[in-house]
Amino acid sequence: IVLPSTFSVSGKWRHETAPHLEEILECLSPSHPCEDITVLKSQQTAVTSALLVYLGFLADVYPVNVGFYLPSE
């Protein structure tokens, strides 16, 4: 997955860029036993970028219908 230059974390996704998100992404894996994930975070921590990477993964590997909503303000 390559994120656009407008993102704070742009280019090809690497866990080294945001190691604090690696466990979250692992929990999102279909093979992980976790059913619910809650993320408490501060602003500007690349979580939106990580979720876009995850949606790209789903579209490529497990094509399913997904709703992804972001606040407008």
Side-chain angles (χ1 to χ4, degrees):
I1 302 292
V2 178
L3 298 170
S5 61
T6 55
F7 279 66
S8 59
V9 179
S10 61
K12 188 175 179 183
W13 181 263
R14 296 180 313 280
H15 287 308
E16 299 84 40
T17 305
H20 59 287
L21 299 175
E22 187 171 1
E23 185 176 2
I24 295 169
L25 289 171
E26 287 175 5
C27 290
L28 289 169
S29 168
S31 62
H32 196 280
C34 183
E35 293 183 9
D36 295 314
I37 299 169
T38 301
V39 178
L40 301 174
K41 65 172 199 71
S42 61
Q43 295 179 345
Q44 302 295 317
T45 56
V47 171
T48 301
S49 299
L51 290 176
L52 290 174
V53 167
Y54 175 66
L55 290 176
F57 164 77
L58 285 179
D60 182 45
V61 180
Y62 297 98
V64 296
N65 294 325
V66 175
F68 185 66
Y69 304 94
L70 296 171
S72 59
E73 294 183 17

Short mmCIF file of all heavy atoms in Angstrom, two decimals:
data_model
loop_
_atom_site.label_atom_id
_atom_site.label_comp_id
_atom_site.label_asym_id
_atom_site.label_seq_id
_atom_site.Cartn_x
_atom_site.Cartn_y
_atom_site.Cartn_z
N ILE A 1 0.86 -1.17 0.00
CA ILE A 1 0.00 0.00 0.00
C ILE A 1 0.90 1.23 0.00
O ILE A 1 1.82 1.33 0.80
CB ILE A 1 -0.91 0.03 1.24
CG1 ILE A 1 -1.78 -1.22 1.31
CG2 ILE A 1 -1.73 1.29 1.30
CD1 ILE A 1 -2.82 -1.32 0.23
N VAL A 2 0.60 2.18 -0.89
CA VAL A 2 1.35 3.43 -0.94
C VAL A 2 0.39 4.56 -0.62
O VAL A 2 -0.61 4.75 -1.30
CB VAL A 2 1.99 3.64 -2.33
CG1 VAL A 2 2.73 4.96 -2.37
CG2 VAL A 2 2.93 2.49 -2.65
N LEU A 3 0.70 5.30 0.43
CA LEU A 3 -0.14 6.42 0.85
C LEU A 3 0.30 7.70 0.16
O LEU A 3 1.49 7.90 -0.10
CB LEU A 3 -0.07 6.58 2.36
CG LEU A 3 -0.57 5.37 3.16
CD1 LEU A 3 -0.24 5.53 4.63
CD2 LEU A 3 -2.06 5.19 2.96
N PRO A 4 -0.64 8.59 -0.15
CA PRO A 4 -0.30 9.83 -0.87
C PRO A 4 0.56 10.78 -0.03
O PRO A 4 0.61 10.69 1.20
CB PRO A 4 -1.66 10.46 -1.17
CG PRO A 4 -2.60 9.85 -0.20
CD PRO A 4 -2.06 8.50 0.15
N SER A 5 1.22 11.69 -0.71
CA SER A 5 2.13 12.63 -0.04
C SER A 5 1.39 13.60 0.87
O SER A 5 2.02 14.26 1.70
CB SER A 5 2.95 13.40 -1.07
OG SER A 5 2.09 14.14 -1.91
N THR A 6 0.08 13.70 0.75
CA THR A 6 -0.69 14.60 1.62
C THR A 6 -0.84 14.04 3.02
O THR A 6 -1.21 14.76 3.93
CB THR A 6 -2.08 14.86 1.02
OG1 THR A 6 -2.73 13.61 0.80
CG2 THR A 6 -1.99 15.63 -0.28
N PHE A 7 -0.56 12.76 3.21
CA PHE A 7 -0.64 12.14 4.53
C PHE A 7 0.63 12.40 5.31
O PHE A 7 1.71 12.55 4.74
CB PHE A 7 -0.85 10.63 4.40
CG PHE A 7 -2.26 10.24 4.14
CD1 PHE A 7 -2.89 10.59 2.96
CD2 PHE A 7 -2.98 9.53 5.07
CE1 PHE A 7 -4.20 10.22 2.72
CE2 PHE A 7 -4.28 9.16 4.84
CZ PHE A 7 -4.89 9.52 3.66
N SER A 8 0.52 12.45 6.64
CA SER A 8 1.71 12.64 7.47
C SER A 8 2.66 11.46 7.35
O SER A 8 3.86 11.60 7.50
CB SER A 8 1.32 12.86 8.93
OG SER A 8 0.60 11.74 9.41
N VAL A 9 2.13 10.29 7.07
CA VAL A 9 2.93 9.09 6.81
C VAL A 9 2.68 8.72 5.36
O VAL A 9 1.70 8.07 5.04
CB VAL A 9 2.51 7.93 7.74
CG1 VAL A 9 3.33 6.70 7.45
CG2 VAL A 9 2.63 8.34 9.19
N SER A 10 3.54 9.19 4.46
CA SER A 10 3.30 8.94 3.04
C SER A 10 4.27 7.89 2.51
O SER A 10 5.22 7.51 3.19
CB SER A 10 3.45 10.25 2.25
OG SER A 10 4.77 10.75 2.39
N GLY A 11 4.01 7.43 1.31
CA GLY A 11 4.85 6.40 0.70
C GLY A 11 4.40 5.01 1.10
O GLY A 11 3.31 4.81 1.64
N LYS A 12 5.26 4.02 0.82
CA LYS A 12 4.93 2.63 1.13
C LYS A 12 4.84 2.45 2.65
O LYS A 12 5.67 2.94 3.40
CB LYS A 12 6.00 1.71 0.56
CG LYS A 12 5.65 0.26 0.67
CD LYS A 12 6.65 -0.62 -0.02
CE LYS A 12 6.25 -2.08 0.15
NZ LYS A 12 7.22 -2.98 -0.43
N TRP A 13 3.82 1.71 3.09
CA TRP A 13 3.61 1.50 4.52
C TRP A 13 4.69 0.60 5.09
O TRP A 13 5.03 -0.44 4.52
CB TRP A 13 2.25 0.86 4.78
CG TRP A 13 2.00 0.67 6.24
CD1 TRP A 13 2.20 -0.47 6.94
CD2 TRP A 13 1.57 1.65 7.17
NE1 TRP A 13 1.90 -0.26 8.26
CE2 TRP A 13 1.51 1.04 8.42
CE3 TRP A 13 1.23 3.00 7.05
CZ2 TRP A 13 1.12 1.72 9.56
CZ3 TRP A 13 0.84 3.67 8.19
CH2 TRP A 13 0.78 3.04 9.42
N ARG A 14 5.26 1.01 6.20
CA ARG A 14 6.25 0.22 6.93
C ARG A 14 5.93 0.31 8.41
O ARG A 14 5.64 1.38 8.93
CB ARG A 14 7.66 0.76 6.68
CG ARG A 14 8.12 0.66 5.25
CD ARG A 14 9.53 1.22 5.06
NE ARG A 14 9.76 2.51 5.67
CZ ARG A 14 9.40 3.70 5.16
NH1 ARG A 14 8.79 3.74 4.01
NH2 ARG A 14 9.66 4.83 5.79
N HIS A 15 6.00 -0.81 9.10
CA HIS A 15 5.74 -0.81 10.54
C HIS A 15 6.75 0.03 11.29
O HIS A 15 6.46 0.57 12.35
CB HIS A 15 5.72 -2.22 11.11
CG HIS A 15 4.51 -3.01 10.74
ND1 HIS A 15 3.22 -2.55 10.94
CD2 HIS A 15 4.37 -4.22 10.17
CE1 HIS A 15 2.35 -3.44 10.52
NE2 HIS A 15 3.03 -4.47 10.05
N GLU A 16 7.96 0.18 10.74
CA GLU A 16 8.98 0.99 11.41
C GLU A 16 8.57 2.46 11.49
O GLU A 16 8.99 3.18 12.38
CB GLU A 16 10.33 0.90 10.66
CG GLU A 16 10.90 -0.49 10.58
CD GLU A 16 10.33 -1.30 9.42
OE1 GLU A 16 10.14 -0.74 8.33
OE2 GLU A 16 10.05 -2.48 9.63
N THR A 17 7.74 2.89 10.55
CA THR A 17 7.28 4.28 10.54
C THR A 17 6.38 4.58 11.73
O THR A 17 6.43 5.66 12.30
CB THR A 17 6.52 4.58 9.23
OG1 THR A 17 7.36 4.23 8.13
CG2 THR A 17 6.13 6.03 9.13
N ALA A 18 5.55 3.62 12.09
CA ALA A 18 4.61 3.81 13.20
C ALA A 18 4.51 2.50 13.98
O ALA A 18 3.51 1.79 13.90
CB ALA A 18 3.25 4.23 12.66
N PRO A 19 5.55 2.16 14.75
CA PRO A 19 5.54 0.87 15.46
C PRO A 19 4.40 0.74 16.47
O PRO A 19 3.99 -0.37 16.80
CB PRO A 19 6.91 0.82 16.15
CG PRO A 19 7.39 2.23 16.17
CD PRO A 19 6.75 2.92 15.01
N HIS A 20 3.85 1.86 16.93
CA HIS A 20 2.75 1.81 17.88
C HIS A 20 1.46 1.28 17.26
O HIS A 20 0.51 0.94 17.96
CB HIS A 20 2.51 3.20 18.48
CG HIS A 20 2.18 4.25 17.47
ND1 HIS A 20 3.13 4.77 16.61
CD2 HIS A 20 1.02 4.85 17.16
CE1 HIS A 20 2.55 5.66 15.83
NE2 HIS A 20 1.27 5.73 16.14
N LEU A 21 1.42 1.18 15.93
CA LEU A 21 0.22 0.69 15.24
C LEU A 21 0.31 -0.78 14.85
O LEU A 21 -0.68 -1.36 14.43
CB LEU A 21 -0.03 1.54 13.99
CG LEU A 21 -0.28 3.01 14.25
CD1 LEU A 21 -0.38 3.76 12.94
CD2 LEU A 21 -1.52 3.20 15.09
N GLU A 22 1.47 -1.37 14.98
CA GLU A 22 1.66 -2.75 14.52
C GLU A 22 0.71 -3.72 15.23
O GLU A 22 0.08 -4.56 14.58
CB GLU A 22 3.11 -3.18 14.72
CG GLU A 22 3.40 -4.53 14.12
CD GLU A 22 4.88 -4.86 14.13
OE1 GLU A 22 5.70 -4.05 14.61
OE2 GLU A 22 5.20 -5.95 13.65
N GLU A 23 0.57 -3.60 16.54
CA GLU A 23 -0.31 -4.51 17.27
C GLU A 23 -1.78 -4.32 16.86
O GLU A 23 -2.53 -5.29 16.74
CB GLU A 23 -0.16 -4.31 18.78
CG GLU A 23 -0.97 -5.30 19.59
CD GLU A 23 -0.75 -5.16 21.09
OE1 GLU A 23 -0.01 -4.26 21.52
OE2 GLU A 23 -1.36 -5.95 21.82
N ILE A 24 -2.17 -3.08 16.61
CA ILE A 24 -3.54 -2.81 16.17
C ILE A 24 -3.80 -3.50 14.83
O ILE A 24 -4.81 -4.17 14.64
CB ILE A 24 -3.80 -1.30 16.05
CG1 ILE A 24 -3.72 -0.65 17.43
CG2 ILE A 24 -5.16 -1.03 15.40
CD1 ILE A 24 -3.71 0.87 17.40
N LEU A 25 -2.86 -3.36 13.90
CA LEU A 25 -3.03 -3.99 12.59
C LEU A 25 -3.02 -5.51 12.70
O LEU A 25 -3.76 -6.19 11.98
CB LEU A 25 -1.94 -3.51 11.63
CG LEU A 25 -2.09 -2.06 11.18
CD1 LEU A 25 -0.86 -1.60 10.42
CD2 LEU A 25 -3.34 -1.88 10.35
N GLU A 26 -2.22 -6.07 13.60
CA GLU A 26 -2.23 -7.52 13.80
C GLU A 26 -3.59 -7.98 14.33
O GLU A 26 -4.09 -9.02 13.92
CB GLU A 26 -1.13 -7.92 14.78
CG GLU A 26 0.26 -7.85 14.19
CD GLU A 26 1.35 -8.14 15.21
OE1 GLU A 26 1.03 -8.50 16.36
OE2 GLU A 26 2.53 -7.97 14.85
N CYS A 27 -4.19 -7.20 15.22
CA CYS A 27 -5.51 -7.56 15.76
C CYS A 27 -6.59 -7.48 14.69
O CYS A 27 -7.62 -8.16 14.81
CB CYS A 27 -5.87 -6.65 16.93
SG CYS A 27 -4.88 -6.95 18.41
N LEU A 28 -6.39 -6.69 13.66
CA LEU A 28 -7.36 -6.58 12.58
C LEU A 28 -7.29 -7.76 11.61
O LEU A 28 -8.17 -7.93 10.76
CB LEU A 28 -7.14 -5.27 11.80
CG LEU A 28 -7.53 -4.00 12.54
CD1 LEU A 28 -7.03 -2.78 11.80
CD2 LEU A 28 -9.03 -3.93 12.75
N SER A 29 -6.26 -8.57 11.72
CA SER A 29 -6.11 -9.72 10.82
C SER A 29 -7.27 -10.68 10.99
O SER A 29 -7.70 -10.97 12.10
CB SER A 29 -4.80 -10.44 11.14
OG SER A 29 -4.76 -11.68 10.48
N PRO A 30 -7.80 -11.20 9.88
CA PRO A 30 -8.91 -12.17 9.98
C PRO A 30 -8.55 -13.42 10.77
O PRO A 30 -9.42 -14.07 11.32
CB PRO A 30 -9.20 -12.52 8.52
CG PRO A 30 -8.70 -11.35 7.75
CD PRO A 30 -7.50 -10.84 8.50
N SER A 31 -7.28 -13.75 10.87
CA SER A 31 -6.88 -14.94 11.62
C SER A 31 -6.69 -14.67 13.12
O SER A 31 -6.52 -15.60 13.89
CB SER A 31 -5.58 -15.51 11.04
OG SER A 31 -4.54 -14.57 11.16
N HIS A 32 -6.75 -13.41 13.52
CA HIS A 32 -6.58 -13.06 14.94
C HIS A 32 -7.89 -13.34 15.68
O HIS A 32 -8.97 -13.08 15.17
CB HIS A 32 -6.20 -11.59 15.08
CG HIS A 32 -5.65 -11.24 16.43
ND1 HIS A 32 -6.46 -11.03 17.52
CD2 HIS A 32 -4.38 -11.10 16.85
CE1 HIS A 32 -5.71 -10.75 18.57
NE2 HIS A 32 -4.44 -10.79 18.19
N PRO A 33 -7.82 -13.88 16.91
CA PRO A 33 -9.05 -14.22 17.64
C PRO A 33 -9.83 -13.01 18.15
O PRO A 33 -10.99 -13.15 18.56
CB PRO A 33 -8.54 -15.06 18.82
CG PRO A 33 -7.13 -14.63 19.01
CD PRO A 33 -6.62 -14.28 17.63
N CYS A 34 -9.27 -11.83 18.11
CA CYS A 34 -9.94 -10.62 18.61
C CYS A 34 -11.18 -10.32 17.77
O CYS A 34 -11.16 -10.40 16.55
CB CYS A 34 -8.96 -9.45 18.54
SG CYS A 34 -9.63 -7.94 19.19
N GLU A 35 -12.28 -9.98 18.43
CA GLU A 35 -13.53 -9.65 17.72
C GLU A 35 -13.83 -8.16 17.75
O GLU A 35 -14.48 -7.65 16.85
CB GLU A 35 -14.69 -10.42 18.33
CG GLU A 35 -14.59 -11.91 18.08
CD GLU A 35 -15.79 -12.66 18.63
OE1 GLU A 35 -16.77 -12.03 19.05
OE2 GLU A 35 -15.73 -13.90 18.65
N ASP A 36 -13.41 -7.46 18.80
CA ASP A 36 -13.64 -6.02 18.91
C ASP A 36 -12.32 -5.34 19.22
O ASP A 36 -11.50 -5.85 19.98
CB ASP A 36 -14.62 -5.71 20.04
CG ASP A 36 -16.01 -6.26 19.77
OD1 ASP A 36 -16.50 -6.07 18.65
OD2 ASP A 36 -16.58 -6.87 20.68
N ILE A 37 -12.15 -4.16 18.62
CA ILE A 37 -10.93 -3.39 18.84
C ILE A 37 -11.33 -1.97 19.21
O ILE A 37 -12.13 -1.34 18.51
CB ILE A 37 -10.04 -3.36 17.59
CG1 ILE A 37 -9.63 -4.78 17.22
CG2 ILE A 37 -8.82 -2.48 17.81
CD1 ILE A 37 -8.98 -4.89 15.87
N THR A 38 -10.79 -1.48 20.30
CA THR A 38 -11.01 -0.11 20.71
C THR A 38 -9.65 0.58 20.76
O THR A 38 -8.71 0.05 21.36
CB THR A 38 -11.66 -0.04 22.10
OG1 THR A 38 -12.90 -0.74 22.05
CG2 THR A 38 -11.91 1.39 22.52
N VAL A 39 -9.56 1.74 20.13
CA VAL A 39 -8.30 2.48 20.10
C VAL A 39 -8.51 3.82 20.78
O VAL A 39 -9.34 4.61 20.35
CB VAL A 39 -7.82 2.69 18.65
CG1 VAL A 39 -6.53 3.48 18.63
CG2 VAL A 39 -7.64 1.35 17.95
N LEU A 40 -7.76 4.06 21.84
CA LEU A 40 -7.75 5.35 22.50
C LEU A 40 -6.43 6.02 22.12
O LEU A 40 -5.37 5.46 22.38
CB LEU A 40 -7.84 5.18 24.02
CG LEU A 40 -9.07 4.44 24.52
CD1 LEU A 40 -8.97 4.20 26.02
CD2 LEU A 40 -10.32 5.21 24.18
N LYS A 41 -6.52 7.16 21.48
CA LYS A 41 -5.31 7.77 20.94
C LYS A 41 -5.40 9.28 20.97
O LYS A 41 -6.46 9.84 21.15
CB LYS A 41 -5.10 7.30 19.51
CG LYS A 41 -6.21 7.82 18.59
CD LYS A 41 -5.93 7.53 17.16
CE LYS A 41 -6.73 8.41 16.23
NZ LYS A 41 -6.35 9.78 16.19
N SER A 42 -4.27 9.90 20.77
CA SER A 42 -4.25 11.35 20.61
C SER A 42 -4.36 11.66 19.11
O SER A 42 -4.37 10.75 18.27
CB SER A 42 -2.95 11.93 21.18
OG SER A 42 -1.85 11.39 20.49
N GLN A 43 -4.42 12.92 18.78
CA GLN A 43 -4.49 13.32 17.38
C GLN A 43 -3.15 13.13 16.70
O GLN A 43 -2.10 13.09 17.34
CB GLN A 43 -4.90 14.79 17.27
CG GLN A 43 -6.29 15.06 17.78
CD GLN A 43 -6.65 16.54 17.67
OE1 GLN A 43 -5.80 17.39 17.48
NE2 GLN A 43 -7.92 16.83 17.82
N GLN A 44 -3.21 13.04 15.38
CA GLN A 44 -2.01 12.97 14.54
C GLN A 44 -1.10 11.79 14.90
O GLN A 44 0.11 11.95 15.03
CB GLN A 44 -1.23 14.28 14.63
CG GLN A 44 -2.00 15.52 14.22
CD GLN A 44 -2.38 15.49 12.75
OE1 GLN A 44 -1.57 15.13 11.91
NE2 GLN A 44 -3.61 15.89 12.44
N THR A 45 -1.68 10.60 15.05
CA THR A 45 -0.86 9.43 15.37
C THR A 45 -0.88 8.38 14.27
O THR A 45 -0.52 7.24 14.50
CB THR A 45 -1.33 8.79 16.69
OG1 THR A 45 -2.71 8.47 16.58
CG2 THR A 45 -1.08 9.69 17.87
N ALA A 46 -1.32 8.75 13.07
CA ALA A 46 -1.30 7.89 11.88
C ALA A 46 -2.30 6.74 11.92
O ALA A 46 -2.21 5.81 11.12
CB ALA A 46 0.11 7.36 11.61
N VAL A 47 -3.27 6.78 12.83
CA VAL A 47 -4.25 5.70 12.89
C VAL A 47 -5.12 5.68 11.63
O VAL A 47 -5.44 4.61 11.11
CB VAL A 47 -5.10 5.80 14.18
CG1 VAL A 47 -6.25 4.81 14.15
CG2 VAL A 47 -4.23 5.53 15.40
N THR A 48 -5.50 6.84 11.12
CA THR A 48 -6.28 6.89 9.88
C THR A 48 -5.50 6.25 8.74
O THR A 48 -6.04 5.47 7.95
CB THR A 48 -6.67 8.34 9.52
OG1 THR A 48 -7.43 8.88 10.60
CG2 THR A 48 -7.49 8.38 8.24
N SER A 49 -4.22 6.55 8.66
CA SER A 49 -3.37 5.94 7.63
C SER A 49 -3.34 4.43 7.79
O SER A 49 -3.42 3.69 6.81
CB SER A 49 -1.95 6.50 7.70
OG SER A 49 -1.94 7.88 7.48
N ALA A 50 -3.21 3.95 9.02
CA ALA A 50 -3.19 2.51 9.27
C ALA A 50 -4.51 1.86 8.86
O ALA A 50 -4.52 0.78 8.28
CB ALA A 50 -2.90 2.23 10.74
N LEU A 51 -5.61 2.53 9.12
CA LEU A 51 -6.91 1.98 8.73
C LEU A 51 -7.06 1.95 7.22
O LEU A 51 -7.66 1.02 6.67
CB LEU A 51 -8.04 2.76 9.39
CG LEU A 51 -8.15 2.55 10.89
CD1 LEU A 51 -9.24 3.45 11.48
CD2 LEU A 51 -8.43 1.11 11.24
N LEU A 52 -6.52 2.94 6.53
CA LEU A 52 -6.56 2.92 5.06
C LEU A 52 -5.71 1.77 4.52
O LEU A 52 -6.08 1.13 3.54
CB LEU A 52 -6.09 4.25 4.50
CG LEU A 52 -7.06 5.42 4.73
CD1 LEU A 52 -6.44 6.73 4.27
CD2 LEU A 52 -8.38 5.17 4.01
N VAL A 53 -4.59 1.51 5.16
CA VAL A 53 -3.76 0.36 4.78
C VAL A 53 -4.56 -0.94 4.99
O VAL A 53 -4.57 -1.82 4.14
CB VAL A 53 -2.46 0.33 5.61
CG1 VAL A 53 -1.73 -1.00 5.47
CG2 VAL A 53 -1.55 1.47 5.18
N TYR A 54 -5.26 -1.03 6.10
CA TYR A 54 -6.07 -2.21 6.39
C TYR A 54 -7.19 -2.37 5.35
O TYR A 54 -7.44 -3.47 4.87
CB TYR A 54 -6.65 -2.13 7.80
CG TYR A 54 -7.59 -3.25 8.12
CD1 TYR A 54 -7.13 -4.55 8.21
CD2 TYR A 54 -8.95 -3.01 8.32
CE1 TYR A 54 -8.00 -5.60 8.50
CE2 TYR A 54 -9.81 -4.05 8.61
CZ TYR A 54 -9.33 -5.34 8.69
OH TYR A 54 -10.19 -6.36 8.97
N LEU A 55 -7.85 -1.28 4.99
CA LEU A 55 -8.90 -1.36 3.98
C LEU A 55 -8.34 -1.81 2.63
O LEU A 55 -8.98 -2.57 1.91
CB LEU A 55 -9.61 -0.01 3.84
CG LEU A 55 -10.47 0.39 5.03
CD1 LEU A 55 -11.04 1.79 4.83
CD2 LEU A 55 -11.59 -0.61 5.25
N GLY A 56 -7.13 -1.35 2.30
CA GLY A 56 -6.47 -1.81 1.08
C GLY A 56 -6.19 -3.30 1.14
O GLY A 56 -6.36 -4.03 0.16
N PHE A 57 -5.77 -3.78 2.31
CA PHE A 57 -5.54 -5.21 2.52
C PHE A 57 -6.84 -5.99 2.30
O PHE A 57 -6.85 -7.01 1.60
CB PHE A 57 -5.00 -5.44 3.93
CG PHE A 57 -5.09 -6.87 4.40
CD1 PHE A 57 -4.19 -7.81 3.94
CD2 PHE A 57 -6.07 -7.25 5.29
CE1 PHE A 57 -4.27 -9.13 4.37
CE2 PHE A 57 -6.16 -8.56 5.73
CZ PHE A 57 -5.26 -9.51 5.26
N LEU A 58 -7.93 -5.51 2.90
CA LEU A 58 -9.21 -6.20 2.73
C LEU A 58 -9.63 -6.24 1.27
O LEU A 58 -10.09 -7.28 0.78
CB LEU A 58 -10.30 -5.51 3.55
CG LEU A 58 -10.30 -5.73 5.05
CD1 LEU A 58 -11.44 -4.95 5.69
CD2 LEU A 58 -10.39 -7.20 5.40
N ALA A 59 -9.49 -5.12 0.58
CA ALA A 59 -9.88 -5.06 -0.83
C ALA A 59 -9.07 -6.04 -1.68
O ALA A 59 -9.59 -6.63 -2.63
CB ALA A 59 -9.72 -3.65 -1.35
N ASP A 60 -7.81 -6.23 -1.31
CA ASP A 60 -6.93 -7.10 -2.09
C ASP A 60 -7.10 -8.57 -1.74
O ASP A 60 -7.19 -9.42 -2.61
CB ASP A 60 -5.48 -6.67 -1.87
CG ASP A 60 -4.50 -7.50 -2.68
OD1 ASP A 60 -4.76 -7.74 -3.87
OD2 ASP A 60 -3.46 -7.92 -2.11
N VAL A 61 -7.16 -8.88 -0.45
CA VAL A 61 -7.11 -10.27 0.00
C VAL A 61 -8.49 -10.84 0.34
O VAL A 61 -8.77 -11.99 0.04
CB VAL A 61 -6.17 -10.41 1.21
CG1 VAL A 61 -6.10 -11.84 1.71
CG2 VAL A 61 -4.77 -9.91 0.84
N TYR A 62 -9.33 -10.05 0.99
CA TYR A 62 -10.65 -10.50 1.42
C TYR A 62 -11.70 -9.49 0.95
O TYR A 62 -12.18 -8.70 1.75
CB TYR A 62 -10.72 -10.61 2.95
CG TYR A 62 -9.78 -11.64 3.53
CD1 TYR A 62 -8.56 -11.27 4.06
CD2 TYR A 62 -10.13 -12.98 3.54
CE1 TYR A 62 -7.70 -12.22 4.59
CE2 TYR A 62 -9.27 -13.93 4.06
CZ TYR A 62 -8.06 -13.54 4.58
OH TYR A 62 -7.20 -14.48 5.10
N PRO A 63 -12.06 -9.50 -0.32
CA PRO A 63 -13.02 -8.51 -0.80
C PRO A 63 -14.37 -8.61 -0.07
O PRO A 63 -15.06 -9.61 -0.19
CB PRO A 63 -13.18 -8.82 -2.29
CG PRO A 63 -12.14 -9.82 -2.62
CD PRO A 63 -11.64 -10.42 -1.35
N VAL A 64 -14.67 -7.62 0.73
CA VAL A 64 -15.92 -7.57 1.49
C VAL A 64 -16.45 -6.14 1.46
O VAL A 64 -15.74 -5.20 1.12
CB VAL A 64 -15.71 -8.00 2.96
CG1 VAL A 64 -15.27 -9.44 3.05
CG2 VAL A 64 -14.72 -7.10 3.67
N ASN A 65 -17.70 -5.98 1.81
CA ASN A 65 -18.27 -4.64 1.94
C ASN A 65 -17.83 -4.05 3.28
O ASN A 65 -17.94 -4.71 4.31
CB ASN A 65 -19.79 -4.69 1.87
CG ASN A 65 -20.28 -5.12 0.51
OD1 ASN A 65 -19.67 -4.79 -0.49
ND2 ASN A 65 -21.37 -5.85 0.47
N VAL A 66 -17.35 -2.81 3.24
CA VAL A 66 -16.85 -2.17 4.45
C VAL A 66 -17.36 -0.74 4.49
O VAL A 66 -17.36 -0.05 3.47
CB VAL A 66 -15.30 -2.15 4.47
CG1 VAL A 66 -14.78 -1.39 5.66
CG2 VAL A 66 -14.75 -3.56 4.47
N GLY A 67 -17.81 -0.28 5.65
CA GLY A 67 -18.14 1.12 5.85
C GLY A 67 -17.04 1.77 6.66
O GLY A 67 -16.62 1.24 7.68
N PHE A 68 -16.54 2.90 6.19
CA PHE A 68 -15.45 3.59 6.87
C PHE A 68 -15.82 5.06 6.94
O PHE A 68 -15.94 5.71 5.92
CB PHE A 68 -14.15 3.39 6.08
CG PHE A 68 -12.93 3.96 6.75
CD1 PHE A 68 -12.46 3.43 7.93
CD2 PHE A 68 -12.24 5.01 6.17
CE1 PHE A 68 -11.32 3.94 8.55
CE2 PHE A 68 -11.10 5.52 6.77
CZ PHE A 68 -10.65 4.98 7.96
N TYR A 69 -16.05 5.55 8.13
CA TYR A 69 -16.55 6.92 8.31
C TYR A 69 -15.53 7.75 9.06
O TYR A 69 -14.96 7.31 10.05
CB TYR A 69 -17.87 6.91 9.07
CG TYR A 69 -18.92 6.05 8.39
CD1 TYR A 69 -19.10 4.72 8.76
CD2 TYR A 69 -19.69 6.56 7.38
CE1 TYR A 69 -20.03 3.94 8.13
CE2 TYR A 69 -20.64 5.78 6.73
CZ TYR A 69 -20.81 4.47 7.12
OH TYR A 69 -21.73 3.69 6.49
N LEU A 70 -15.34 8.97 8.60
CA LEU A 70 -14.43 9.89 9.25
C LEU A 70 -15.20 11.16 9.60
O LEU A 70 -16.09 11.58 8.86
CB LEU A 70 -13.26 10.26 8.33
CG LEU A 70 -12.33 9.11 7.93
CD1 LEU A 70 -11.36 9.57 6.86
CD2 LEU A 70 -11.59 8.62 9.15
N PRO A 71 -14.85 11.81 10.70
CA PRO A 71 -15.53 13.07 11.04
C PRO A 71 -15.16 14.15 10.03
O PRO A 71 -14.06 14.16 9.49
CB PRO A 71 -14.99 13.40 12.43
CG PRO A 71 -13.72 12.66 12.53
CD PRO A 71 -13.85 11.44 11.68
N SER A 72 -16.08 15.05 9.79
CA SER A 72 -15.82 16.12 8.83
C SER A 72 -15.31 17.38 9.51
O SER A 72 -14.87 18.31 8.86
CB SER A 72 -17.08 16.43 8.01
OG SER A 72 -18.11 16.82 8.89
N GLU A 73 -15.42 17.45 10.82
CA GLU A 73 -14.93 18.64 11.55
C GLU A 73 -14.13 18.22 12.75
O GLU A 73 -14.30 17.23 13.34
CB GLU A 73 -16.11 19.50 12.00
CG GLU A 73 -16.84 20.09 10.82
CD GLU A 73 -17.95 20.99 11.30
OE1 GLU A 73 -17.99 21.41 12.47
OE2 GLU A 73 -18.83 21.27 10.48
#
